[in-house]
Amino acid sequence: MSDSKPIDVAVLMGSPSDWDTMQHGRAMLDELGIPHVCRAISAPRQPGQRHAFNNDATDRGCKVFIGAAGGAAHLPGVLASSTDKPVLGVPMKGWSTAGVDALMSIAQMPGGVPVGCLAIGKAGAKNAAILAAQIVAVGNEDARNAVLAFRKAQSEKITELPS
Ligand code: RP5
């Protein structure tokens, strides 16, 4: 990574093709004011870069990792094997089973190396960001206030429909 600014959350996706979905997670982190970094690095295709990303994010103070991947979706599990920080996984819609393959892969980690698995696609991307902020908020009053403000605004939002 080129930057060395402190971060609370590191978002890693397996391919630039995951960005259409994961940009919704990034937008949520922005809205909550959580310092973060987003990168696309493939666990199976770019193992060295993936390892360097883990180390760099940890050096920058990362408290939670979000890993997004489709298909075999090894990335979140590989991230979890390289850190003691919480890892949240977001299954991407793939090319054959609409993301169910990735959902099963991310959810079915062997006992001892947990990954918290979110929903497939956009909802998972958004919720991973909120959940990461909630984890950060355990020891950070600013993050907690941002989450509470988001929840309040969400509750108060009433959509007017044409009658
Ligand atoms: C996964 O394979 C990626 O996370 C992506 O969801 C999927 C397809 O990747 P590309 O072939 O588009 O790079 O590893």
Side-chain angles (χ1 to χ4, degrees):
M1 281 183 283
S2 51
D3 211 331
S4 60
K5 283 197 294 239
I7 52 169
D8 284 334
V9 176
V11 182
L12 190 60
M13 59 211 83
S15 168
S17 63
D18 298 325
W19 179 240
D20 267 2
T21 303
M22 290 311 295
Q23 63 177 312
H24 299 288
R26 196 272 285 258
M28 200 64 240
L29 290 170
D30 280 339
E31 183 175 336
L32 295 171
I34 303 295
H36 60 274
V37 63
C38 294
R39 293 284 183 276
I41 300 171
S42 168
R45 295 168 181 155
Q46 300 169 297
Q49 291 96 318
R50 199 282 313 154
H51 189 67
F53 176 86
N54 263 76
N55 290 342
D56 197 36
T58 302
D59 288 348
R60 292 172 65 181
C62 176
K63 296 174 182 65
V64 186
F65 286 87
I66 296 174
H74 291 147
L75 178 63
V78 171
L79 276 174
S81 74
S82 305
T83 182
D84 61 334
K85 309 295 183 221
V87 176
L88 307 178
V90 186
M92 299 289 98
K93 282 187 184 157
W95 53 93
S96 61
T97 63
V100 174
D101 44 6
L103 176 75
M104 298 302 285
S105 176
I106 294 170
Q108 295 283 30
M109 284 295 289
V113 188
V115 170
C117 184
L118 283 298
I120 297 167
K122 180 178 171 183
K126 185 174 174 179
N127 280 346
I130 297 168
L131 189 51
Q134 289 176 295
I135 294 168
V136 170
V138 170
N140 179 326
E141 205 55 26
D142 288 344
R144 179 162 183 261
N145 288 334
V147 170
L148 290 173
F150 164 75
R151 296 281 285 258
K152 183 167 183 287
Q154 179 173 249
S155 300
E156 289 170 355
K157 201 183 287 176
I158 295 172
T159 307
E160 293 290 341
L161 297 171
S163 48

